[in-house]
């Protein structure tokens, strides 16, 4: 009997230990993950970033930390699944939620925290779970809900958690660049919780907010606040930041000696030896701003010598390269320093910033090379000498082939045929024989053997010159080079509609980058004098303190709006509004509104009358008179597509892989069939089916598959975005907004989501938010014709000026079309599946329609047989007949990149030709086989 009691005790004791050990292992993995994360953050502190650099430049967290968080989540989940009655369930929920948070799986984290709040309202983790749930809302950019939750915690939670909630409210305002509100939130938290453990952190952020205001009346208050941090028992990192910021604030107050003394004191303090590299970087930056380049270089060299192979030394190399590039214009030496950063400390912030700068320099070389080649082609076409290309030091134009035959050099091809020149002709070349001066001031009116000097005048060159100027201005930091290229635009294209933009850009550089108001005035005066009816001229008047005038663009827009109202009244009455559109275009030749009028009349003739003659005349007019507008560009693209035979190329491509598609061979790849139950593979499979349903207009099925894909793998911004589109189309606007924000949380550069949120805020009359997203689009998608049009219409938005709601609506900016097809980048296969043998379906008797199609989904196995067939679209009795035929098909199987076969899902179009078989409708024959060669 005693033996049975002992066995029972051992059994129950062991059972209790199991769930405790499982949770103990979850805690162990979580602690290890936290240790790895903290070590990474210490090594790559976010506040070491360059001014203006975003989170994109921060070094990603090491993969081992994410793996440890994943293991912690799995162990915690096991406690919840198997030991629901244990006393550690709320502990496991809290740990599970935090693990999901650090893995950026915010929806799952929110669910874990909400379950804890719902089921354990008396838990010690209740308020902490609410705080972490609010953090998840922040990450998903659901700011209103996060703020509401934080304010609830400020009022209801214990002091430590309430103070942290107040701190987060300040951080949210700071992130939105509302520094007044941020300072107020920090002050409120300090007043309400004066003894909170995070007092030093609150004071530190309050001081940073005061400095961020860029208002000299607050700088002394900021200095006092940072000194108060030192009296609030800060940790070592907080003390260092406070002392560093005291130096910054003193510098902003003009106390240069006091600032440097503060930095020197930090260098001499042994407690901050680990921070010495950062301190010297700041001192070097201080000298660089003060134009004391030698001292700045000495500081950067000291960092490289004393802290080799560190993030600080990589940043020192980057800043050294930046100094040579921006202050001395030595591109060659700058490039060498940038290239060295990655060898110094791969993956560091300095290395990442250097790689970005190398990308800008490479882009410049490519654009400058394109201009040089265009000039050479223009010169060759006229037997002239190519004009010079402006360039930065260290750049050389591509060398021309010396072994070309004389015919090629002189514009002739093989057998004396005339060489073709892309977009270049005699009309594209501008004779600059008169009064063109080279860099030494010598006139270059003639060349070798009396040949004239020419440069290209193509629209492609115009775009390239503008882009080069903008890269120098916005990314490389060489305002003088930017001005030189804007002046080249003015010289080459004296009649361009883009001239006011170039002149205004030069004025802007003088005012904003060179701090030279006097240098900007001649250009502002030129805008008012020579381009008086342009929007840029009005911006110049504003800066000069003069009265604004009604611009041509405003007059044209008002007139266009009246015509548009007339058109919408009766779109079919072309005779009522097309002459008015033509008249408008004639009076505003070259303008965006004029181009829009011509384009609209072309579309009307095409859609409503099918009058190809009128359509072609208008598209030709767009090409000739409005080439610099986005509608002119569309017309040129249309002409190119017609001339290069896109359809013919597609047909040739199909023949190369088996000939022209015959009836029954039309097929689309949907997805790979996973070999295992791996969640990522399942997610990709459901994504393929969702895309097909979306393409075919079956929004209900598409929604279901997108949701299934996200259930398997939440980190899928494409699915989140497309699911948001469906929600928006179905009228679930709040849900769509949240999905777009989740998209951006995983993919901050998703342009479509930015466009959608921009449109949503306009629709909801949220002017400030819409302007905020417009600024994002200006920075992220500057090449989009819609964005360029907005910038041209309202030049002041480049400087951050907000537009009114009606102006935002007038822009009519729409998201770029998204491709719902699978591409080779989506599915890694060396060979896609193809139909090998078509089987014609048995046609049900008694049908009288000409033809129809049934869409079926076929799982093609590794041998090329139909393993499973399902109907996607089609009615009985044809659907079953199509399924029967599909099972008899033969396919060439899909091949992986390693050459092995793999199962895939395809959409197969099964055609029925009913009238053709009407003479024998009673025949009950088997499906007809059509061999590949038939």
């Amino acid at each position: 009997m005693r033996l049975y009691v002992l066995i029972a005790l051992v059994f129950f004791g062991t059972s209790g230990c199991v769930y405790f050990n499982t949770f103990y292992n979850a805690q162990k993995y979580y602690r290890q993950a936290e240790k790895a994360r903290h070590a990474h953050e210490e090594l790559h502190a976010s506040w070491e970033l360059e001014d203006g650099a975003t989170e994109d430049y921060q070094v990603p967290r090491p993969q081992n930390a994410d793996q440890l968080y994943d293991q912690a989540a799995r162990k915690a989940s096991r406690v919840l699944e198997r030991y629901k009655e244990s006393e550690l369930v709320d502990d496991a929920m809290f740990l599970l939620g935090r693990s999901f948070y650090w893995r950026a799986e915010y929806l799952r984290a929110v669910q874990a925290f909400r379950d804890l709040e719902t089921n354990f309202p008396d838990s010690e983790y209740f308020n902490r779970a609410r705080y972490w749930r609010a953090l998840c809302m922040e990450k998903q950019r659901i700011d209103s809900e996060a703020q509401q939750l934080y304010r609830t915690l400020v009022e209801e939670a214990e002091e430590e958690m309430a103070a942290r909630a107040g701190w987060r409210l300040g951080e949210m305002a700071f992130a939105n660049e509302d520094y007044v509100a941020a300072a107020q939130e920090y002050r409120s938290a300090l007043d309400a919780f004066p003894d909170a453990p995070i007092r030093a952190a609150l004071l530190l952020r309050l001081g940073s907010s005061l400095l961020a205001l860029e208002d000299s009346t607050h700088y002394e208050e900021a200095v006092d606040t940072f000194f108060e941090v030192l009296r609030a028992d800060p940790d070592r990192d907080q003390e260092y930041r406070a002392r560093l910021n005291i130096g910054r604030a003193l510098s902003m107050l003009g106390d240069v000696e006091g600032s440097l003394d503060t930095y020197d004191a930090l260098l001499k303090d042994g407690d901050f030896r680990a921070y010495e590299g950062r301190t010297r970087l700041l001192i070097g930056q201080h000298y660089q701003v003060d134009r004391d380049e030698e001292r700045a270089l000495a500081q950067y060299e000291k960092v490289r010598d004393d802290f080799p192979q560190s993030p600080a030394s990589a940043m020192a190399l980057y800043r050294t390269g930046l100094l040579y590039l921006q202050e001395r214009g030595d591109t060659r030496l700058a490039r060498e320093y940038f290239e060295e950063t990655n060898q110094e400390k791969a993956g560091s912030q300095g290395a990442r910033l250097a790689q970005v700068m190398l990308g800008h320099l490479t882009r410049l070389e490519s654009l400058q090379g394109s201009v040089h080649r265009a000039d050479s082609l223009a010169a060759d076409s006229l037997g002239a000498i190519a004009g010079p290309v402006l360039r930065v030091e260290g750049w050389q134009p591509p060398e021309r082939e010396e072994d070309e035959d004389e015919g090629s050099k002189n514009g002739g091809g093989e057998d004396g045929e005339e060489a073709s020149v892309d977009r270049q002709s005699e009309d594209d070349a501008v004779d600059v024989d008169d009064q063109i001066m080279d860099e030494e001031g010598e006139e270059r009116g003639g060349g070798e053997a009396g040949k004239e000097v020419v440069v290209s005048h193509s629209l492609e060159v115009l775009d390239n010159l503008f882009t080069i100027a903008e890269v120098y201005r916005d990314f490389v930091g060489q305002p003088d080079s930017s001005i030189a290229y804007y002046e080249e635009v003015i010289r080459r294209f004296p009649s361009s509609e883009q001239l006011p933009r170039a002149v205004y850009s030069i004025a802007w550089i003088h005012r904003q980058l060179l701090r030279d108001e006097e240098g900007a005035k001649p250009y502002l005066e030129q805008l008012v004098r020579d381009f008086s009816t342009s929007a840029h001229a009005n911006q110049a008047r504003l800066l000069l303190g003069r009265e604004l005038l009604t611009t041509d663009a405003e007059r044209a827009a008002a007139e266009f709006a009246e015509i548009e109202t007339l058109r919408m009244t009766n779109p079919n009455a072309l005779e009522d509004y097309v002459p008015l559109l033509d008249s408008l275009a004639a009076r505003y030749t070259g303008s965006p509104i004029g181009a829009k009028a011509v384009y609209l009349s072309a579309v009307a003739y095409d859609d409503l009358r099918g009058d190809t003659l009128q359509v072609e005349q208008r598209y030709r007019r767009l090409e000739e008179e409005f080439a610099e507008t986005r509608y002119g560009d569309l017309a040129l693209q249309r002409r190119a597509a017609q001339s290069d035979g896109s359809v013919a190329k597609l047909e040739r491509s199909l023949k190369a892989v088996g000939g022209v598609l015959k009836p029954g061979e039309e097929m689309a790849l949907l997805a790979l069939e996973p070999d295992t139950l791996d969640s990522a593979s399942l997610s990709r499979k459901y994504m393929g089916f969702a895309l097909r349903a979306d393409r075919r207009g079956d929004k209900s099925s598409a929604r279901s598959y997108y949701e299934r894909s996200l259930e398997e793998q939440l980190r899928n911004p494409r699915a989140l975005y497309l699911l948001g589109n469906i929600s928006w189309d179905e009228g679930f606007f709040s849900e769509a907004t949240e999905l777009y924000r989740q998209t951006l949380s995983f993919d901050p550069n998703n342009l479509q989501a930015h466009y959608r949120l921009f449109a949503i805020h306009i629709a909801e009359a949220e002017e400030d938010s819409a302007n905020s997203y417009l600024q994002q689009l200006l920075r992220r998608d500057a090449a989009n014709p819609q964005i360029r049009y907005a910038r041209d219409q309202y030049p002041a938005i480049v400087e951050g000026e907000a537009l009114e709601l009606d102006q935002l609506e007038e822009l009519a900016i729409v998201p770029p079309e998204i491709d719902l097809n699978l591409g080779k980048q989506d599915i890694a296969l060396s060979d896609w599946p193809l139909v090998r043998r078509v089987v014609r379906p048995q046609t049900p008797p008694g049908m009288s329609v000409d033809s129809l199609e049934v869409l079926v989904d076929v799982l093609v196995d590794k041998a090329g047989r139909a393993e499973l067939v399902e109907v996607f679209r089609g009615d009985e009795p044809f659907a079953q007949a199509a399924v029967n035929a599909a099972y008899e098909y033969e396919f060439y199987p899909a091949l992986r990149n390693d050459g092995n076969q793999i199962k895939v899902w395809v959409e197969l179009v099964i055609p029925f030709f009913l009238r053709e078989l009407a003479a024998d409708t009673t025949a009950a024959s088997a499906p007809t086989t059509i061999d590949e060669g038939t």
Side-chain angles (χ1 to χ4, degrees), residues 428-443:
D428 293 331
V430 177
D431 186 349
V432 292
D433 189 41
D434 53 330
Q435 302 301 318
I436 297 181
M437 310 295 289
D438 64 8
E439 293 176 357
E440 289 76 27
E442 297 176 357
E443 188 173 357

Side-chain angles (χ1 to χ4, degrees), residues 560-605:
F560 182 86
E562 293 177 2
I563 301 173
E564 183 70 356
T565 301
L566 179 63
R567 184 181 74 87
M568 296 303 294
T569 303
N570 187 1
N572 292 311
L574 272 65
E575 62 279 0
D576 290 346
Y577 62 85
V578 166
L580 298 176
L581 291 172
D582 290 342
S583 174
L584 176 67
R587 281 180 285 112
Y588 298 100
T589 301
S591 70
I593 291 291
K596 190 175 182 180
V598 177
Y599 180 77
L600 192 60
S601 63
V603 171
Y605 272 115

Side-chain angles (χ1 to χ4, degrees), residues 525-546:
E525 295 285 359
Q526 182 184 358
L527 284 168
V528 174
R529 182 182 65 252
D530 298 341
F531 309 98
S532 59
T533 58
S534 70
H536 295 86
N538 257 358
Q539 187 64 22
R541 291 187 183 96
L542 187 65
L543 296 174
L544 293 169
R546 300 180 188 175

Side-chain angles (χ1 to χ4, degrees), residues 490-779:
I490 295 169
R491 184 177 70 81
R492 289 195 186 205
F493 304 91
S495 60
S496 169
E497 293 290 328
Q498 300 292 320
L499 229 59
R501 174 183 163 198
V503 176
Y504 181 79
S505 296
I506 295 175
W508 186 90
I509 291 172
H510 277 288
R511 294 184 70 251
Q512 300 295 328
L513 301 183
L514 301 178
R515 298 290 187 262
D516 181 8
E517 293 283 350
E518 291 301 316
K521 278 186 179 179
Y523 297 98
L524 299 175
E525 295 285 359
Q526 182 184 358
L527 284 168
V528 174
R529 182 182 65 252
D530 298 341
F531 309 98
S532 59
T533 58
S534 70
H536 295 86
N538 257 358
Q539 187 64 22
R541 291 187 183 96
L542 187 65
L543 296 174
L544 293 169
R546 300 180 188 175
E547 183 179 354
L548 303 185
L549 301 180
T550 302
T551 66
D552 279 347
E554 291 169 339
R555 280 192 288 268
E559 190 172 337
F560 182 86
E562 293 177 2
I563 301 173
E564 183 70 356
T565 301
L566 179 63
R567 184 181 74 87
M568 296 303 294
T569 303
N570 187 1
N572 292 311
L574 272 65
E575 62 279 0
D576 290 346
Y577 62 85
V578 166
L580 298 176
L581 291 172
D582 290 342
S583 174
L584 176 67
R587 281 180 285 112
Y588 298 100
T589 301
S591 70
I593 291 291
K596 190 175 182 180
V598 177
Y599 180 77
L600 192 60
S601 63
V603 171
Y605 272 115
D606 197 9
D607 293 346
L608 302 176
R609 296 284 174 85
D611 189 336
T612 56
L613 178 61
Q614 292 289 343
V615 171
E616 291 304 322
Q617 285 178 351
R618 280 162 172 75
Y619 276 115
R620 192 176 304 111
R621 187 177 179 189
L622 284 172
E623 295 172 25
E624 295 171 356
E625 300 177 23
F626 302 92
E628 295 181 24
T629 69
R630 64 184 180 121
Y631 295 104
D633 189 48
L634 287 173
L636 290 169
Q637 291 179 30
R638 177 178 178 273
R639 180 75 62 194
Q642 290 175 337
S643 63
D644 68 7
S646 298
V647 175
K649 287 183 179 180
L650 177 60
E651 291 175 349
R652 288 195 298 272
S653 175
L654 289 171
K655 289 179 180 180
V657 295
V660 178
L661 289 178
K662 308 177 186 70
E665 291 184 342
E666 186 177 344
M667 185 176 69
L669 180 61
L670 296 179
L672 307 184
E673 177 67 8
D675 295 330
T676 66
L677 295 179
D678 171 57
S679 60
S681 299
L682 284 171
S683 177
R684 287 192 291 270
K685 173 185 173 181
Y686 295 139
M687 187 67 185
F689 279 92
L691 289 170
R692 186 279 306 276
D694 213 345
R695 285 196 304 272
R696 294 292 187 181
D698 187 348
K699 301 300 182 182
S700 177
S701 295
R703 171 182 284 278
S704 175
Y705 278 118
Y706 285 135
E707 289 174 346
R708 293 174 72 180
S709 177
L710 289 166
E711 287 174 4
E712 297 296 336
Q713 188 177 37
L714 179 61
R715 188 183 289 272
N716 188 345
R718 189 180 186 187
L720 286 165
Y721 171 74
L722 293 172
L723 187 57
N725 288 353
I726 293 175
S727 296
W728 180 259
D729 292 340
E730 293 176 348
F732 300 113
F733 304 128
S734 298
E735 180 180 297
T737 302
E738 180 175 346
L739 286 165
Y740 293 142
R741 286 172 174 161
Q742 290 173 17
T743 301
L744 292 176
S745 71
F746 291 122
D747 181 11
N749 296 317
N750 189 297
L751 284 173
Q752 284 89 356
H754 280 96
Y755 278 103
R756 287 281 181 170
L757 286 168
F758 171 69
I760 286 172
H761 289 304
I762 291 178
E764 296 179 350
E766 296 175 351
E767 191 174 292
D768 292 342
S769 298
N771 274 292
S772 175
Y773 277 102
L774 178 59
Q775 290 298 318
Q776 291 282 343
L777 294 173
L778 286 169
R779 289 192 293 270

Side-chain angles (χ1 to χ4, degrees), residues 369-387 389 397-398 400 409 421 424 454-456:
S370 296
V371 175
H372 176 80
R373 285 189 293 273
D375 286 346
S376 298
L377 289 169
D380 284 348
S381 69
L382 298 177
I385 298 174
V389 178
R400 300 177 62 187
K409 290 183 180 181
V421 180
Q424 306 294 329
V454 300
V455 293
S456 172

